[in-house]
PDB file of all heavy atoms in Angstrom:
ATOM      1  N   ARG A  14      -9.528   9.284 -15.670  1.00 89.00           N
ATOM      2  CA  ARG A  14     -10.064  10.320 -16.553  1.00 89.00           C
ATOM      3  C   ARG A  14     -11.386   9.915 -17.198  1.00 89.00           C
ATOM      4  O   ARG A  14     -12.091  10.738 -17.727  1.00 89.00           O
ATOM      5  CB  ARG A  14      -9.052  10.633 -17.652  1.00 89.00           C
ATOM      6  CG  ARG A  14      -7.709  11.018 -17.140  1.00 89.00           C
ATOM      7  CD  ARG A  14      -7.534  12.503 -17.236  1.00 89.00           C
ATOM      8  NE  ARG A  14      -6.197  12.905 -16.851  1.00 89.00           N
ATOM      9  CZ  ARG A  14      -5.968  13.711 -15.837  1.00 89.00           C
ATOM     10  NH1 ARG A  14      -6.941  14.170 -15.114  1.00 89.00           N
ATOM     11  NH2 ARG A  14      -4.739  14.064 -15.532  1.00 89.00           N
ATOM     12  N   GLU A  15     -11.698   8.620 -17.156  1.00 95.00           N
ATOM     13  CA  GLU A  15     -12.892   8.137 -17.842  1.00 95.00           C
ATOM     14  C   GLU A  15     -13.508   6.974 -17.067  1.00 95.00           C
ATOM     15  O   GLU A  15     -12.798   6.149 -16.509  1.00 95.00           O
ATOM     16  CB  GLU A  15     -12.503   7.682 -19.252  1.00 95.00           C
ATOM     17  CG  GLU A  15     -13.662   7.409 -20.159  1.00 95.00           C
ATOM     18  CD  GLU A  15     -13.207   7.096 -21.581  1.00 95.00           C
ATOM     19  OE1 GLU A  15     -12.133   6.503 -21.765  1.00 95.00           O
ATOM     20  OE2 GLU A  15     -13.968   7.424 -22.496  1.00 95.00           O
ATOM     21  N   ALA A  16     -14.827   6.940 -17.038  1.00 96.00           N
ATOM     22  CA  ALA A  16     -15.562   5.828 -16.432  1.00 96.00           C
ATOM     23  C   ALA A  16     -16.403   5.178 -17.523  1.00 96.00           C
ATOM     24  O   ALA A  16     -16.619   5.761 -18.586  1.00 96.00           O
ATOM     25  CB  ALA A  16     -16.447   6.324 -15.301  1.00 96.00           C
ATOM     26  N   ALA A  17     -16.854   3.950 -17.248  1.00 98.00           N
ATOM     27  CA  ALA A  17     -17.632   3.231 -18.262  1.00 98.00           C
ATOM     28  C   ALA A  17     -18.642   2.295 -17.622  1.00 98.00           C
ATOM     29  O   ALA A  17     -18.406   1.749 -16.543  1.00 98.00           O
ATOM     30  CB  ALA A  17     -16.701   2.429 -19.167  1.00 98.00           C
ATOM     31  N   HIS A  18     -19.761   2.136 -18.306  1.00 98.00           N
ATOM     32  CA  HIS A  18     -20.761   1.112 -17.983  1.00 98.00           C
ATOM     33  C   HIS A  18     -20.665   0.110 -19.125  1.00 98.00           C
ATOM     34  O   HIS A  18     -20.887   0.464 -20.283  1.00 98.00           O
ATOM     35  CB  HIS A  18     -22.163   1.717 -17.905  1.00 98.00           C
ATOM     36  CG  HIS A  18     -23.238   0.687 -17.768  1.00 98.00           C
ATOM     37  ND1 HIS A  18     -24.317   0.643 -18.616  1.00 98.00           N
ATOM     38  CD2 HIS A  18     -23.399  -0.347 -16.902  1.00 98.00           C
ATOM     39  CE1 HIS A  18     -25.095  -0.370 -18.260  1.00 98.00           C
ATOM     40  NE2 HIS A  18     -24.550  -0.976 -17.233  1.00 98.00           N
ATOM     41  N   ILE A  19     -20.321  -1.123 -18.798  1.00 98.00           N
ATOM     42  CA  ILE A  19     -20.085  -2.159 -19.806  1.00 98.00           C
ATOM     43  C   ILE A  19     -21.106  -3.272 -19.637  1.00 98.00           C
ATOM     44  O   ILE A  19     -21.354  -3.740 -18.521  1.00 98.00           O
ATOM     45  CB  ILE A  19     -18.669  -2.774 -19.672  1.00 98.00           C
ATOM     46  CG1 ILE A  19     -17.595  -1.674 -19.649  1.00 98.00           C
ATOM     47  CG2 ILE A  19     -18.400  -3.790 -20.767  1.00 98.00           C
ATOM     48  CD1 ILE A  19     -17.481  -0.871 -20.904  1.00 98.00           C
ATOM     49  N   VAL A  20     -21.688  -3.714 -20.732  1.00 98.00           N
ATOM     50  CA  VAL A  20     -22.569  -4.886 -20.758  1.00 98.00           C
ATOM     51  C   VAL A  20     -21.887  -5.895 -21.668  1.00 98.00           C
ATOM     52  O   VAL A  20     -21.565  -5.590 -22.821  1.00 98.00           O
ATOM     53  CB  VAL A  20     -23.973  -4.538 -21.310  1.00 98.00           C
ATOM     54  CG1 VAL A  20     -24.847  -5.785 -21.361  1.00 98.00           C
ATOM     55  CG2 VAL A  20     -24.619  -3.448 -20.474  1.00 98.00           C
ATOM     56  N   TRP A  21     -21.629  -7.106 -21.139  1.00 98.00           N
ATOM     57  CA  TRP A  21     -20.950  -8.116 -21.934  1.00 98.00           C
ATOM     58  C   TRP A  21     -21.522  -9.493 -21.650  1.00 98.00           C
ATOM     59  O   TRP A  21     -22.206  -9.706 -20.667  1.00 98.00           O
ATOM     60  CB  TRP A  21     -19.439  -8.092 -21.703  1.00 98.00           C
ATOM     61  CG  TRP A  21     -18.948  -8.737 -20.448  1.00 98.00           C
ATOM     62  CD1 TRP A  21     -18.457  -9.997 -20.315  1.00 98.00           C
ATOM     63  CD2 TRP A  21     -18.875  -8.167 -19.140  1.00 98.00           C
ATOM     64  NE1 TRP A  21     -18.093 -10.244 -19.013  1.00 98.00           N
ATOM     65  CE2 TRP A  21     -18.342  -9.129 -18.281  1.00 98.00           C
ATOM     66  CE3 TRP A  21     -19.222  -6.922 -18.619  1.00 98.00           C
ATOM     67  CZ2 TRP A  21     -18.136  -8.890 -16.930  1.00 98.00           C
ATOM     68  CZ3 TRP A  21     -19.017  -6.684 -17.267  1.00 98.00           C
ATOM     69  CH2 TRP A  21     -18.477  -7.667 -16.448  1.00 98.00           C
ATOM     70  N   VAL A  22     -21.219 -10.426 -22.547  1.00 98.00           N
ATOM     71  CA  VAL A  22     -21.617 -11.818 -22.364  1.00 98.00           C
ATOM     72  C   VAL A  22     -20.456 -12.527 -21.672  1.00 98.00           C
ATOM     73  O   VAL A  22     -19.342 -12.583 -22.211  1.00 98.00           O
ATOM     74  CB  VAL A  22     -21.953 -12.489 -23.712  1.00 98.00           C
ATOM     75  CG1 VAL A  22     -22.301 -13.959 -23.499  1.00 98.00           C
ATOM     76  CG2 VAL A  22     -23.095 -11.765 -24.391  1.00 98.00           C
ATOM     77  N   ASP A  23     -20.721 -13.034 -20.480  1.00 96.00           N
ATOM     78  CA  ASP A  23     -19.683 -13.667 -19.669  1.00 96.00           C
ATOM     79  C   ASP A  23     -19.742 -15.185 -19.807  1.00 96.00           C
ATOM     80  O   ASP A  23     -20.819 -15.762 -19.967  1.00 96.00           O
ATOM     81  CB  ASP A  23     -19.870 -13.280 -18.203  1.00 96.00           C
ATOM     82  CG  ASP A  23     -18.617 -13.465 -17.377  1.00 96.00           C
ATOM     83  OD1 ASP A  23     -17.556 -13.788 -17.948  1.00 96.00           O
ATOM     84  OD2 ASP A  23     -18.692 -13.268 -16.155  1.00 96.00           O
ATOM     85  N   SER A  24     -18.598 -15.810 -19.729  1.00 93.00           N
ATOM     86  CA  SER A  24     -18.520 -17.271 -19.757  1.00 93.00           C
ATOM     87  C   SER A  24     -19.162 -17.841 -18.500  1.00 93.00           C
ATOM     88  O   SER A  24     -19.325 -17.144 -17.502  1.00 93.00           O
ATOM     89  CB  SER A  24     -17.060 -17.720 -19.824  1.00 93.00           C
ATOM     90  OG  SER A  24     -16.444 -17.178 -20.960  1.00 93.00           O
ATOM     91  N   ALA A  25     -19.490 -19.114 -18.543  1.00 91.00           N
ATOM     92  CA  ALA A  25     -20.114 -19.762 -17.390  1.00 91.00           C
ATOM     93  C   ALA A  25     -19.410 -21.073 -17.089  1.00 91.00           C
ATOM     94  O   ALA A  25     -18.872 -21.725 -17.981  1.00 91.00           O
ATOM     95  CB  ALA A  25     -21.594 -20.029 -17.674  1.00 91.00           C
ATOM     96  N   SER A  26     -19.415 -21.442 -15.825  1.00 88.00           N
ATOM     97  CA  SER A  26     -18.882 -22.739 -15.409  1.00 88.00           C
ATOM     98  C   SER A  26     -19.521 -23.110 -14.078  1.00 88.00           C
ATOM     99  O   SER A  26     -20.065 -22.262 -13.377  1.00 88.00           O
ATOM    100  CB  SER A  26     -17.359 -22.700 -15.269  1.00 88.00           C
ATOM    101  OG  SER A  26     -16.992 -21.857 -14.207  1.00 88.00           O
ATOM    102  N   PHE A  27     -19.442 -24.384 -13.757  1.00 84.00           N
ATOM    103  CA  PHE A  27     -19.858 -24.830 -12.439  1.00 84.00           C
ATOM    104  C   PHE A  27     -18.669 -24.702 -11.502  1.00 84.00           C
ATOM    105  O   PHE A  27     -17.573 -24.329 -11.924  1.00 84.00           O
ATOM    106  CB  PHE A  27     -20.371 -26.280 -12.489  1.00 84.00           C
ATOM    107  CG  PHE A  27     -21.697 -26.417 -13.187  1.00 84.00           C
ATOM    108  CD1 PHE A  27     -21.811 -27.133 -14.367  1.00 84.00           C
ATOM    109  CD2 PHE A  27     -22.842 -25.822 -12.671  1.00 84.00           C
ATOM    110  CE1 PHE A  27     -23.032 -27.259 -15.014  1.00 84.00           C
ATOM    111  CE2 PHE A  27     -24.071 -25.943 -13.314  1.00 84.00           C
ATOM    112  CZ  PHE A  27     -24.158 -26.669 -14.490  1.00 84.00           C
ATOM    113  N   LYS A  28     -18.851 -25.017 -10.244  1.00 77.00           N
ATOM    114  CA  LYS A  28     -17.764 -24.924  -9.281  1.00 77.00           C
ATOM    115  C   LYS A  28     -16.544 -25.685  -9.769  1.00 77.00           C
ATOM    116  O   LYS A  28     -16.653 -26.825 -10.230  1.00 77.00           O
ATOM    117  CB  LYS A  28     -18.191 -25.489  -7.925  1.00 77.00           C
ATOM    118  CG  LYS A  28     -19.202 -24.648  -7.210  1.00 77.00           C
ATOM    119  CD  LYS A  28     -19.509 -25.262  -5.861  1.00 77.00           C
ATOM    120  CE  LYS A  28     -20.538 -24.458  -5.130  1.00 77.00           C
ATOM    121  NZ  LYS A  28     -20.864 -25.028  -3.834  1.00 77.00           N
ATOM    122  N   GLU A  29     -15.393 -25.043  -9.633  1.00 73.00           N
ATOM    123  CA  GLU A  29     -14.153 -25.700 -10.032  1.00 73.00           C
ATOM    124  C   GLU A  29     -13.817 -26.828  -9.061  1.00 73.00           C
ATOM    125  O   GLU A  29     -14.124 -26.760  -7.885  1.00 73.00           O
ATOM    126  CB  GLU A  29     -13.008 -24.688 -10.040  1.00 73.00           C
ATOM    127  CG  GLU A  29     -13.145 -23.671 -11.154  1.00 73.00           C
ATOM    128  CD  GLU A  29     -11.958 -22.747 -11.206  1.00 73.00           C
ATOM    129  OE1 GLU A  29     -10.838 -23.210 -10.977  1.00 73.00           O
ATOM    130  OE2 GLU A  29     -12.174 -21.560 -11.476  1.00 73.00           O
ATOM    131  N   GLY A  30     -13.176 -27.861  -9.581  1.00 73.00           N
ATOM    132  CA  GLY A  30     -12.713 -28.949  -8.728  1.00 73.00           C
ATOM    133  C   GLY A  30     -13.771 -29.979  -8.390  1.00 73.00           C
ATOM    134  O   GLY A  30     -13.538 -30.853  -7.565  1.00 73.00           O
ATOM    135  N   THR A  31     -14.949 -29.884  -9.011  1.00 82.00           N
ATOM    136  CA  THR A  31     -15.980 -30.878  -8.748  1.00 82.00           C
ATOM    137  C   THR A  31     -16.404 -31.522 -10.057  1.00 82.00           C
ATOM    138  O   THR A  31     -16.257 -30.951 -11.133  1.00 82.00           O
ATOM    139  CB  THR A  31     -17.227 -30.239  -8.090  1.00 82.00           C
ATOM    140  OG1 THR A  31     -17.788 -29.279  -8.984  1.00 82.00           O
ATOM    141  CG2 THR A  31     -16.878 -29.556  -6.785  1.00 82.00           C
ATOM    142  N   TRP A  32     -16.946 -32.704  -9.958  1.00 87.00           N
ATOM    143  CA  TRP A  32     -17.477 -33.394 -11.122  1.00 87.00           C
ATOM    144  C   TRP A  32     -18.909 -32.929 -11.353  1.00 87.00           C
ATOM    145  O   TRP A  32     -19.641 -32.636 -10.418  1.00 87.00           O
ATOM    146  CB  TRP A  32     -17.458 -34.907 -10.889  1.00 87.00           C
ATOM    147  CG  TRP A  32     -16.065 -35.456 -10.998  1.00 87.00           C
ATOM    148  CD1 TRP A  32     -15.132 -35.515 -10.006  1.00 87.00           C
ATOM    149  CD2 TRP A  32     -15.463 -35.992 -12.164  1.00 87.00           C
ATOM    150  NE1 TRP A  32     -13.978 -36.061 -10.480  1.00 87.00           N
ATOM    151  CE2 TRP A  32     -14.157 -36.371 -11.808  1.00 87.00           C
ATOM    152  CE3 TRP A  32     -15.886 -36.192 -13.476  1.00 87.00           C
ATOM    153  CZ2 TRP A  32     -13.269 -36.939 -12.718  1.00 87.00           C
ATOM    154  CZ3 TRP A  32     -15.007 -36.759 -14.373  1.00 87.00           C
ATOM    155  CH2 TRP A  32     -13.717 -37.125 -13.995  1.00 87.00           C
ATOM    156  N   THR A  33     -19.287 -32.857 -12.627  1.00 87.00           N
ATOM    157  CA  THR A  33     -20.621 -32.395 -12.990  1.00 87.00           C
ATOM    158  C   THR A  33     -21.302 -33.455 -13.840  1.00 87.00           C
ATOM    159  O   THR A  33     -20.700 -33.996 -14.776  1.00 87.00           O
ATOM    160  CB  THR A  33     -20.529 -31.089 -13.810  1.00 87.00           C
ATOM    161  OG1 THR A  33     -19.844 -30.108 -13.025  1.00 87.00           O
ATOM    162  CG2 THR A  33     -21.893 -30.569 -14.171  1.00 87.00           C
ATOM    163  N   ASP A  34     -22.538 -33.743 -13.513  1.00 89.00           N
ATOM    164  CA  ASP A  34     -23.323 -34.678 -14.308  1.00 89.00           C
ATOM    165  C   ASP A  34     -23.589 -34.061 -15.674  1.00 89.00           C
ATOM    166  O   ASP A  34     -23.942 -32.881 -15.785  1.00 89.00           O
ATOM    167  CB  ASP A  34     -24.651 -34.972 -13.586  1.00 89.00           C
ATOM    168  CG  ASP A  34     -25.418 -36.096 -14.245  1.00 89.00           C
ATOM    169  OD1 ASP A  34     -25.893 -35.893 -15.379  1.00 89.00           O
ATOM    170  OD2 ASP A  34     -25.536 -37.157 -13.621  1.00 89.00           O
ATOM    171  N   LYS A  35     -23.435 -34.827 -16.729  1.00 91.00           N
ATOM    172  CA  LYS A  35     -23.628 -34.314 -18.084  1.00 91.00           C
ATOM    173  C   LYS A  35     -25.030 -33.767 -18.305  1.00 91.00           C
ATOM    174  O   LYS A  35     -25.226 -32.839 -19.084  1.00 91.00           O
ATOM    175  CB  LYS A  35     -23.321 -35.406 -19.116  1.00 91.00           C
ATOM    176  CG  LYS A  35     -21.850 -35.710 -19.214  1.00 91.00           C
ATOM    177  CD  LYS A  35     -21.601 -36.769 -20.283  1.00 91.00           C
ATOM    178  CE  LYS A  35     -20.132 -37.096 -20.369  1.00 91.00           C
ATOM    179  NZ  LYS A  35     -19.866 -38.122 -21.389  1.00 91.00           N
ATOM    180  N   GLU A  36     -26.011 -34.298 -17.611  1.00 91.00           N
ATOM    181  CA  GLU A  36     -27.384 -33.807 -17.728  1.00 91.00           C
ATOM    182  C   GLU A  36     -27.502 -32.358 -17.244  1.00 91.00           C
ATOM    183  O   GLU A  36     -28.338 -31.607 -17.724  1.00 91.00           O
ATOM    184  CB  GLU A  36     -28.351 -34.700 -16.944  1.00 91.00           C
ATOM    185  CG  GLU A  36     -28.665 -36.010 -17.632  1.00 91.00           C
ATOM    186  CD  GLU A  36     -29.430 -35.791 -18.939  1.00 91.00           C
ATOM    187  OE1 GLU A  36     -30.420 -35.041 -18.937  1.00 91.00           O
ATOM    188  OE2 GLU A  36     -29.009 -36.373 -19.956  1.00 91.00           O
ATOM    189  N   ASP A  37     -26.665 -31.971 -16.273  1.00 87.00           N
ATOM    190  CA  ASP A  37     -26.719 -30.619 -15.732  1.00 87.00           C
ATOM    191  C   ASP A  37     -26.148 -29.576 -16.694  1.00 87.00           C
ATOM    192  O   ASP A  37     -26.393 -28.379 -16.530  1.00 87.00           O
ATOM    193  CB  ASP A  37     -25.962 -30.539 -14.403  1.00 87.00           C
ATOM    194  CG  ASP A  37     -26.644 -31.352 -13.313  1.00 87.00           C
ATOM    195  OD1 ASP A  37     -27.880 -31.552 -13.412  1.00 87.00           O
ATOM    196  OD2 ASP A  37     -25.956 -31.775 -12.373  1.00 87.00           O
ATOM    197  N   LEU A  38     -25.399 -30.012 -17.693  1.00 90.00           N
ATOM    198  CA  LEU A  38     -24.760 -29.070 -18.614  1.00 90.00           C
ATOM    199  C   LEU A  38     -25.749 -28.263 -19.440  1.00 90.00           C
ATOM    200  O   LEU A  38     -25.425 -27.165 -19.886  1.00 90.00           O
ATOM    201  CB  LEU A  38     -23.782 -29.805 -19.531  1.00 90.00           C
ATOM    202  CG  LEU A  38     -22.575 -30.437 -18.832  1.00 90.00           C
ATOM    203  CD1 LEU A  38     -21.717 -31.179 -19.834  1.00 90.00           C
ATOM    204  CD2 LEU A  38     -21.770 -29.393 -18.086  1.00 90.00           C
ATOM    205  N   LYS A  39     -26.953 -28.789 -19.614  1.00 91.00           N
ATOM    206  CA  LYS A  39     -27.957 -28.033 -20.378  1.00 91.00           C
ATOM    207  C   LYS A  39     -28.334 -26.739 -19.673  1.00 91.00           C
ATOM    208  O   LYS A  39     -28.798 -25.789 -20.299  1.00 91.00           O
ATOM    209  CB  LYS A  39     -29.194 -28.898 -20.649  1.00 91.00           C
ATOM    210  CG  LYS A  39     -30.007 -29.247 -19.411  1.00 91.00           C
ATOM    211  CD  LYS A  39     -31.180 -30.134 -19.758  1.00 91.00           C
ATOM    212  CE  LYS A  39     -32.000 -30.501 -18.562  1.00 91.00           C
ATOM    213  NZ  LYS A  39     -31.333 -31.216 -17.509  1.00 91.00           N
ATOM    214  N   ASP A  40     -28.114 -26.674 -18.361  1.00 89.00           N
ATOM    215  CA  ASP A  40     -28.420 -25.473 -17.582  1.00 89.00           C
ATOM    216  C   ASP A  40     -27.258 -24.480 -17.547  1.00 89.00           C
ATOM    217  O   ASP A  40     -27.401 -23.380 -17.020  1.00 89.00           O
ATOM    218  CB  ASP A  40     -28.777 -25.852 -16.142  1.00 89.00           C
ATOM    219  CG  ASP A  40     -30.019 -26.723 -16.084  1.00 89.00           C
ATOM    220  OD1 ASP A  40     -30.927 -26.520 -16.916  1.00 89.00           O
ATOM    221  OD2 ASP A  40     -30.071 -27.611 -15.204  1.00 89.00           O
ATOM    222  N   LEU A  41     -26.129 -24.854 -18.105  1.00 92.00           N
ATOM    223  CA  LEU A  41     -24.943 -24.001 -18.086  1.00 92.00           C
ATOM    224  C   LEU A  41     -24.895 -23.162 -19.360  1.00 92.00           C
ATOM    225  O   LEU A  41     -24.667 -23.675 -20.448  1.00 92.00           O
ATOM    226  CB  LEU A  41     -23.685 -24.871 -17.987  1.00 92.00           C
ATOM    227  CG  LEU A  41     -22.360 -24.144 -17.876  1.00 92.00           C
ATOM    228  CD1 LEU A  41     -22.306 -23.341 -16.582  1.00 92.00           C
ATOM    229  CD2 LEU A  41     -21.219 -25.142 -17.926  1.00 92.00           C
ATOM    230  N   VAL A  42     -25.155 -21.871 -19.226  1.00 94.00           N
ATOM    231  CA  VAL A  42     -25.179 -20.972 -20.385  1.00 94.00           C
ATOM    232  C   VAL A  42     -24.438 -19.683 -20.043  1.00 94.00           C
ATOM    233  O   VAL A  42     -24.434 -19.247 -18.888  1.00 94.00           O
ATOM    234  CB  VAL A  42     -26.630 -20.640 -20.826  1.00 94.00           C
ATOM    235  CG1 VAL A  42     -27.341 -21.876 -21.330  1.00 94.00           C
ATOM    236  CG2 VAL A  42     -27.415 -20.001 -19.703  1.00 94.00           C
ATOM    237  N   PRO A  43     -23.819 -19.062 -21.037  1.00 95.00           N
ATOM    238  CA  PRO A  43     -23.226 -17.752 -20.796  1.00 95.00           C
ATOM    239  C   PRO A  43     -24.309 -16.769 -20.359  1.00 95.00           C
ATOM    240  O   PRO A  43     -25.488 -16.934 -20.694  1.00 95.00           O
ATOM    241  CB  PRO A  43     -22.663 -17.355 -22.161  1.00 95.00           C
ATOM    242  CG  PRO A  43     -22.479 -18.654 -22.877  1.00 95.00           C
ATOM    243  CD  PRO A  43     -23.595 -19.536 -22.394  1.00 95.00           C
ATOM    244  N   GLU A  44     -23.906 -15.749 -19.609  1.00 95.00           N
ATOM    245  CA  GLU A  44     -24.877 -14.827 -19.048  1.00 95.00           C
ATOM    246  C   GLU A  44     -24.479 -13.384 -19.322  1.00 95.00           C
ATOM    247  O   GLU A  44     -23.300 -13.023 -19.239  1.00 95.00           O
ATOM    248  CB  GLU A  44     -24.960 -15.050 -17.537  1.00 95.00           C
ATOM    249  CG  GLU A  44     -26.061 -14.292 -16.880  1.00 95.00           C
ATOM    250  CD  GLU A  44     -26.251 -14.706 -15.431  1.00 95.00           C
ATOM    251  OE1 GLU A  44     -26.017 -15.872 -15.096  1.00 95.00           O
ATOM    252  OE2 GLU A  44     -26.637 -13.840 -14.641  1.00 95.00           O
ATOM    253  N   GLU A  45     -25.477 -12.559 -19.645  1.00 97.00           N
ATOM    254  CA  GLU A  45     -25.206 -11.139 -19.815  1.00 97.00           C
ATOM    255  C   GLU A  45     -24.858 -10.544 -18.458  1.00 97.00           C
ATOM    256  O   GLU A  45     -25.558 -10.762 -17.467  1.00 97.00           O
ATOM    257  CB  GLU A  45     -26.425 -10.435 -20.407  1.00 97.00           C
ATOM    258  CG  GLU A  45     -26.145  -8.985 -20.739  1.00 97.00           C
ATOM    259  CD  GLU A  45     -27.301  -8.333 -21.478  1.00 97.00           C
ATOM    260  OE1 GLU A  45     -27.467  -8.627 -22.677  1.00 97.00           O
ATOM    261  OE2 GLU A  45     -28.014  -7.540 -20.841  1.00 97.00           O
ATOM    262  N   THR A  46     -23.767  -9.790 -18.412  1.00 97.00           N
ATOM    263  CA  THR A  46     -23.237  -9.252 -17.170  1.00 97.00           C
ATOM    264  C   THR A  46     -22.974  -7.761 -17.349  1.00 97.00           C
ATOM    265  O   THR A  46     -22.696  -7.313 -18.455  1.00 97.00           O
ATOM    266  CB  THR A  46     -21.923  -9.985 -16.817  1.00 97.00           C
ATOM    267  OG1 THR A  46     -22.185 -11.387 -16.789  1.00 97.00           O
ATOM    268  CG2 THR A  46     -21.388  -9.567 -15.478  1.00 97.00           C
ATOM    269  N   GLN A  47     -23.058  -6.998 -16.254  1.00 98.00           N
ATOM    270  CA  GLN A  47     -22.827  -5.560 -16.308  1.00 98.00           C
ATOM    271  C   GLN A  47     -21.821  -5.147 -15.243  1.00 98.00           C
ATOM    272  O   GLN A  47     -21.749  -5.758 -14.178  1.00 98.00           O
ATOM    273  CB  GLN A  47     -24.117  -4.791 -16.044  1.00 98.00           C
ATOM    274  CG  GLN A  47     -25.212  -5.064 -17.033  1.00 98.00           C
ATOM    275  CD  GLN A  47     -26.425  -4.200 -16.749  1.00 98.00           C
ATOM    276  OE1 GLN A  47     -26.303  -2.976 -16.594  1.00 98.00           O
ATOM    277  NE2 GLN A  47     -27.587  -4.814 -16.664  1.00 98.00           N
TER     278      GLN A  47
END
Side-chain angles (χ1 to χ4, degrees):
R14 305 257 185 241
E15 191 174 33
H18 172 233
I19 308 296
V20 178
W21 78 97
V22 177
D23 200 6
S24 302
S26 67
F27 289 115
K28 290 182 181 180
E29 291 184 38
T31 62
W32 285 86
T33 302
D34 189 292
K35 288 182 181 180
E36 284 295 311
D37 293 334
L38 295 178
K39 68 182 180 300
D40 298 325
L41 183 64
V42 295
E44 188 171 328
E45 186 173 285
T46 305
Q47 299 183 50

